[in-house]
Amino acid sequence: MPSFRTPVSRRAALRLALAGGSLTGWLPVLAARPAAATARARACIVLWMDGGPPHTDTFDMKPDVAECGVYKDIPTAVPGIRVSELLPKFAGQMTHAAVVRGMSTVENEHLRARVHLRTGYRSGQGGLTYPSLGSIASESIGEPDFPVPSYVAVADVRDRSHGPGFLGPRHQPLFVQDPKRGVENLRAMVPPPAVDGRLGLLDELERGFAGEYQVPLSHTHRSVYERAVRLMRTEKARAFDLTLEPLKTRAAYGESSFGQGCLLARRLVETGVKYVEVGLGGWDTHFENNEAVKRLCGTLDQSMTTLVTDLKLRGMLDSTLVIWMGEFGRTPTFKGKGRDHYARAWSTVFMGGGVRGGRVIGRTDASGATVADRPVSAADFFATVCELLGIDYETDRDTPGGRPLPRVEKSGKPVRELWT
């Protein structure tokens, strides 16, 4: 199995070989990689705004164009960078954040866009089911013997875009429906000796079935049971119990499911989980956009600001990449009282994990309708996250059918302005 933390990929190695193998030949190749990230991020938290947040109401304000929105822009802790008046707390944390205003993708339908932004490939492309970024992180930087799944999703909206694709069930996410309740049913309903006896019998049956019927489904079934048993027996499962946090801390994150999900994400990363996604739904604002965005930003502002502050105070922000994003943006102008889906131009925000904060990368035009400078595609976004996490996105790997496939489409180029 290839290592995705290998610093020099197969493609780079080929270039080195073609360079002649001499020191003179190697130096130009190595010099061409000066801006590569040093993989300071050891974990990733994605704050997923399901439905698609409007860039012109959040991080790419257009105060001179009345048709773009009713909310005003305000200054931040970084001179020259302004954000929505709906995000006053986060404005004070801008020194830790880099806003990418040139996101430009191609899918305008929710599920297809979720698949594209979570896997890096368009739905149905090449006839394969691709793994999500969380599953890739689980396989590439997760520890095989770690008793808690390396990929946890706190999401009320779940679909195939979260899945492991051809990586298989070992890298599927552990879904948490309600962060306040954690993972339920971890406590056995019978005494430990009885549990051991039942699990032994189950294992015997599983082995017998798998031996007689060589089908992938038997492996999947067994893998799910093994993961569940490991989680039941580890003290690290206490990370899911938010009642162990001081009430003051829980209140600081906010009582919403999203706020408590952000707190859970911090606890899980602190325990050793590599990838956590926390969802905040409701951004599909075809109707009454202004009221919905004001309410959602109120939740977002408190929870995201507290998360970044908490990570910083605990010395975890430098090693934890935090990403704010949705599957696309929304039209910069209104249709009635709402905004429609819009993939052509939108924003995302990177924090921590080696990212240099206090900067804006890319620019949209005066009306926020098109990207005027530094467009970033879905493949570019994927290459960026992989590089920050130390995942070699250039190395081909074989699918179960023996087909070599790169982690990221070959057109993907990292947004290295984030850390240079």
Side-chain angles (χ1 to χ4, degrees):
M1 179 178 294
S3 167
F4 296 103
R5 297 185 70 87
T6 305
V8 179
S9 69
R10 182 187 306 174
R11 193 183 307 172
L14 179 59
R15 289 200 297 265
L16 290 172
L18 292 174
S22 68
L23 184 61
T24 303
W26 280 58
L27 289 177
V29 178
L30 295 175
R33 300 174 59 88
T38 53
R40 294 166 69 180
R42 293 195 293 272
C44 182
I45 298 174
V46 172
L47 306 179
W48 183 274
M49 306 296 105
D50 198 79
H55 56 300
T56 51
D57 286 330
T58 53
F59 289 100
D60 191 7
M61 305 297 287
K62 302 297 178 183
D64 297 329
V65 182
E67 293 80 8
C68 285
V70 300
Y71 297 114
K72 309 299 182 186
D73 60 338
I74 60 172
T76 68
V78 179
I81 299 180
R82 303 177 72 88
V83 299
S84 172
E85 63 178 325
L86 302 177
L87 301 168
K89 296 178 180 176
F90 191 72
Q93 296 291 328
M94 189 52 66
T95 53
H96 302 306
V99 181
V100 176
R101 287 180 175 163
M103 289 296 296
S104 186
T105 50
V106 294
E107 296 287 6
N108 274 308
E109 188 275 325
H110 288 293
L111 180 56
R112 291 188 63 85
R114 290 186 194 117
V115 170
H116 198 195
L117 268 298
R118 283 198 175 104
T119 71
Y121 285 87
R122 301 179 73 177
S123 181
Q125 186 175 345
L128 290 172
T129 302
Y130 296 91
S132 66
L133 185 55
S135 296
I136 293 172
S138 172
E139 187 210 32
S140 302
I141 61 175
E143 299 173 17
D145 296 329
F146 195 67
V148 179
S150 294
Y151 172 22
V152 177
V154 186
D156 51 1
V157 178
R158 61 179 76 173
D159 55 48
R160 60 185 169 87
S161 66
H162 286 97
F166 55 74
L167 292 184
R170 180 179 176 79
H171 303 292
Q172 64 185 355
L174 173 65
F175 284 107
V176 176
Q177 185 74 31
D178 182 354
K180 297 177 183 177
R181 302 176 71 173
V183 179
E184 300 179 273
N185 303 322
L186 284 181
R187 182 172 298 175
M189 300 179 67
V190 296
V195 173
D196 291 340
R198 292 181 185 187
L199 289 175
L201 177 59
L202 177 63
D203 186 60
E204 188 175 331
L205 292 172
E206 293 277 1
R207 288 177 184 274
F209 185 87
E212 187 169 352
Y213 301 97
Q214 299 290 332
V215 293
L217 185 61
S218 65
H219 173 67
T220 299
H221 191 256
R222 189 175 179 187
S223 177
V224 169
Y225 268 100
E226 288 176 348
R227 280 162 43 111
V229 171
R230 291 172 67 190
L231 187 58
M232 288 174 63
R233 289 177 166 170
T234 177
E235 283 293 312
K236 293 187 181 297
R238 288 163 57 85
F240 290 95
D241 187 356
L242 295 186
T243 65
L244 299 175
E245 287 286 332
L247 291 177
K248 184 178 179 180
T249 301
R250 296 190 64 174
Y253 274 88
E255 294 301 323
S256 67
S257 178
F258 176 72
Q260 297 299 290
C262 288
L263 173 57
L264 178 60
R266 188 222 79 202
R267 286 179 59 84
L268 292 173
V269 169
E270 204 167 28
T271 300
V273 174
K274 298 299 183 182
Y275 191 98
V276 185
E277 180 183 303
V278 185
L280 175 60
W283 294 93
D284 194 20
T285 53
H286 290 285
F287 308 99
E288 307 298 342
N289 174 84
N290 292 341
E291 292 78 4
V293 168
K294 183 177 182 179
R295 172 177 50 80
L296 290 164
C297 281
T299 300
L300 171 69
D301 193 37
Q302 176 178 2
S303 305
M304 182 164 69
T305 303
T306 302
L307 173 63
V308 173
T309 303
D310 200 6
L311 290 172
K312 180 66 177 175
L313 290 174
R314 292 170 182 270
M316 298 169 60
L317 185 59
D318 201 40
S319 61
T320 305
L321 176 65
V322 182
I323 304 171
W324 176 88
M325 65 181 296
E327 64 265 40
F328 42 54
R330 306 203 75 79
T331 50
T333 55
F334 286 79
K335 182 178 181 180
K337 293 184 178 180
R339 298 185 190 270
D340 286 338
H341 308 169
Y342 201 67
R344 187 187 303 170
W346 51 287
S347 299
T348 185
V349 182
F350 287 76
M351 298 151 277
V355 169
R356 291 180 62 189
R359 56 178 56 192
V360 172
I361 298 166
R363 177 174 57 86
T364 56
D365 65 5
S367 62
T370 60
V371 176
D373 179 47
R374 191 50 172 109
V376 176
S377 68
D380 296 336
F381 170 82
F382 243 69
T384 302
V385 178
C386 285
E387 188 143 315
L388 283 166
L389 290 172
I391 299 171
D392 184 356
Y393 59 90
E394 294 182 305
T395 300
D396 288 354
R397 79 180 307 279
D398 291 338
T399 66
R403 178 177 171 182
L405 194 73
R407 279 280 178 237
V408 177
E409 282 193 286
K410 294 188 182 298
S411 62
K413 304 296 181 188
V415 184
R416 289 182 168 144
E417 301 95 309
L418 283 166
W419 57 83
T420 57

